[in-house]
Each structure stands twice: as structure tokens, then as C-alpha cells.
Amino acid sequence: MEIKWHGHSCFEIGEGTKIVIDPHDGRSLGIKAPVVKADVVLITHHHFDHDAVRVVKGNFKVIDSPGEYEMGDVHIKGIPAYHDEQYGKKRGQITMYKIENEGIKLLHVGDLGHVLTSEQLDEIGKIDILFTPVGGVYTVDAKKAYENVKLLKPKVVIPMHYKVSGMTLGIQPLDPFISYFPEDKVEHVGNSINFTKEDLPRETQVWVFIR
């Protein structure tokens, strides 16, 4: 499997069926726009920095709501959650996506704004890789993101939706989240990584992508 980061919450996943999650247009955030082609585009919610489908190339299907979907060799499960701690009263509902491909289970939680409930944890089940926002303000902050890590117990955590150089969005940087982990559990993997299920660590690691 290959995972490539396109900035903010946008990731490209897979080598057969190409999945792109939460594309942005770059310009609205002060960062580079994604250059990406997809078979499937997953939208966690319709805010400007997560649903710029127009930047994605290819003949793709858009999924933007809860449910179960079979796309080629990939199983996708959309699970409802909220953009805030008030059950969506401030910022609305989002859809988290659990993706199963090549024996690997990934969970992208979009702009999750709260600690996961027991019902959501039951619906998610076991996962190998967690994509979580850590920048606070509009999502969970570093502390609440770490609480979700402890609940989900993934093998790999991929932080996203945090302040980077040039970004105009007023959110927090990565460092507060990284501080919860020992140095030997943090890996800088570059812009993309190729791996198999057997390559995944036994104990939770943080994979930091660079763009």
C-alpha cells in the first residue's frame, strides 16, 4: 500500500483503486494545491478546505455520506461523527471513513471535534492506521487527539490538519501532539510511504509526513 500526503487533511491511498480524501484547493489555505488523480474521492464534510473536488483528475466516484461501499478491491465504511463537542450544533456533522484494503484497516476521521463515544468505537472496531486532526480550534486539539489514540490503539497514527509554513488557517502546530510520544516512536516518512501489513509496528508509532 502507498500513502501520500497532499497537505492539510488530503491523502492519496492505494495502488490499485486510488482513493483521495478531503481535497483542498491550496490557494484558500496558503499552501500548494494537490496534484492528484483518483478512482474514489471521499469527502468528510462540505467545508472549503475539505471538498475541493474540482482539483482532482480522473473519472472518479464521490462519496460524502455514511454507509458501506465496495469500490473495486476496497471496502469503505462511512461512520457519522461531529465537527464539535456539542453534537454538531456549532459546525455540523462529519463522516469518518474506515477503509479496508490489502488486509490493512485505516480510519480517517476528518474534522473530528470530540472524543469518540463507546458507540462509535464499537462501529469502528479494530484499525491499523489512524489519520487524526491535531491542530485544535476547529477540531480536536493535541490532548483530545491523544485520548482518541489511546481508545483506538492503532499501530500507526498519522497527524493532519495542523499549522504548517505559509498556512493562513489559525490552528496549532504539530509539536504539542508529538510531545505525547517518546522520540523513538516518531518516524518522519517524507511525502509518501510504501509498506505492507507485515511492515506495520507492533506498538503505536507516529508517522509524520512532509510536503
Side-chain angles (χ1 to χ4, degrees), residues 81-94 111-117 136-141 143-145 147-148:
Y82 299 100
H83 205 324
D84 55 74
E85 293 182 316
Q86 299 179 24
Y87 300 98
K89 291 180 181 178
K90 289 176 64 178
R91 299 188 186 93
Q93 183 173 297
I94 64 166
D111 270 11
L112 183 66
H114 58 90
V115 175
L116 294 165
T117 66
V137 185
Y138 306 106
T139 70
V140 289
D141 58 12
K143 181 180 179 181
K144 288 186 174 64
E147 289 180 38
N148 282 329

Side-chain angles (χ1 to χ4, degrees), residues 18 41 73 84 94 112 120 125 130 133 143 188 193 201:
K18 285 282 188 179
V41 177
D73 52 351
D84 55 74
I94 64 166
L112 183 66
Q120 288 166 331
L130 170 66
K143 181 180 179 181
H188 291 78
I193 186 170

